[in-house]
Amino acid sequence: MNRQAQAVVLLLFGGAILKASFTDLYLRYVKEGLRPFLIAAGVALVATAIATLWYERRPDHDHSHHEPRVGWLLILPVLGLLLVAPPALGSFTAGQSGTLPVSGSDYAALPAGDPAPIGLLDYASRALFDEGRSLTGRRVQLTGFVTAGPGGAPMLARIVVGCCAADGRPIKVGLTGGPLIDVPAGTWIQVTGTHSAKRGEDPVNQADIAYLEVAQWQPVTPPKQQYE
């Protein structure tokens, strides 16, 4: 692979990053707040590629040098971004990984409204470390995808990421009571309910699992930002 070919690969790679950044596709890889950094990286790659092509095309430049052919492997992530659109991490990841251990903190008041919409990580933390005190007397609304729990019982889950999908870990909430949830794993649902004192243990990593007393549920369209 010569430098002109390398520049073309960089150009395609930068273009693929920009394409993902200007659509919702990037949300399958990183958190929403990282979009400006992706755009900057894509612009830098495109600018580098253009500068390299200009330099290599100068008439007084020696074009005889070649780089190792392994450099062509760089085309693989480019093709992945341009031709394949993998889904966000979901029920398979949740089934293979243990629930994220949660820690206690000072809990702000729940959002106004009935039910109060909160994240799964927030609910699990309040249920496990605050013993549900900050949830007393309130109905909450959780949104996530269905995953199989101990014994095949449906649980609600969502992937929590620090910066990108590579460090994603599931947070799982058990479901008890209420109408039967009979949808396939991976289906996104919205569940309304109240705090349950029941606790479970994730068989993957033996971490505690909080439970929600289900009042009602309904299938929903997956949100634009599927990670917490």
Side-chain angles (χ1 to χ4, degrees):
M1 172 184 275
N2 58 31
R3 289 189 179 177
Q4 290 185 0
Q6 290 177 358
V8 171
V9 172
L10 279 180
L11 184 63
L12 291 173
F13 197 19
I17 291 175
L18 290 175
K19 176 186 175 183
S21 300
F22 287 116
T23 66
D24 292 339
L25 180 60
Y26 81 100
L27 292 173
R28 302 182 184 184
Y29 303 99
V30 299
K31 298 183 74 172
E32 190 169 11
L34 295 178
R35 173 184 253 174
F37 300 99
L38 281 180
I39 293 174
V43 169
L45 288 173
V46 170
T48 301
I50 293 173
T52 301
L53 287 172
W54 175 83
Y55 181 77
E56 289 292 312
R57 289 178 65 85
R58 291 189 310 167
D60 61 339
H61 183 67
D62 180 13
H63 303 282
S64 61
H65 52 269
H66 290 269
E67 303 297 334
R69 292 182 179 179
V70 72
W72 283 108
L73 292 177
L74 289 172
I75 201 71
L76 296 180
V78 175
L79 294 177
L81 283 172
L82 291 175
L83 304 178
V84 182
L89 300 179
S91 60
F92 177 80
T93 300
Q96 299 298 312
S97 305
T99 190
L100 186 69
V102 295
S103 58
S105 64
D106 294 328
Y107 299 101
L110 291 174
D114 180 39
I118 62 173
L120 271 67
L121 186 59
D122 187 19
Y123 176 81
S125 180
R126 292 172 185 267
L128 294 175
F129 283 88
D130 192 40
E131 297 183 346
R133 283 186 287 266
S134 62
L135 301 165
T136 301
R138 296 293 302 276
R139 296 197 311 161
V140 296
Q141 186 178 80
L142 308 182
T143 300
F145 56 81
V146 174
T147 189
M155 304 183 75
L156 196 65
R158 202 148 178 176
I159 303 298
V160 179
V161 299
C163 69
C164 58
D167 62 20
R169 292 278 304 277
I171 182 68
K172 307 175 188 178
V173 172
L175 304 172
T176 186
L180 177 65
I181 297 176
D182 56 354
V183 293
T187 302
W188 280 80
I189 62 174
Q190 193 173 77
V191 183
T192 299
T194 55
H195 169 250
S196 171
K198 180 179 179 180
R199 293 191 180 190
E201 183 179 273
D202 193 313
V204 179
N205 64 347
Q206 289 73 55
D208 288 336
I209 292 177
Y211 272 74
L212 178 74
E213 185 76 25
V214 178
Q216 61 188 50
W217 67 274
Q218 61 180 357
V220 295
T221 302
K224 181 179 75 171
Q225 175 56 278
Q226 298 187 24
Y227 300 139
E228 283 198 9

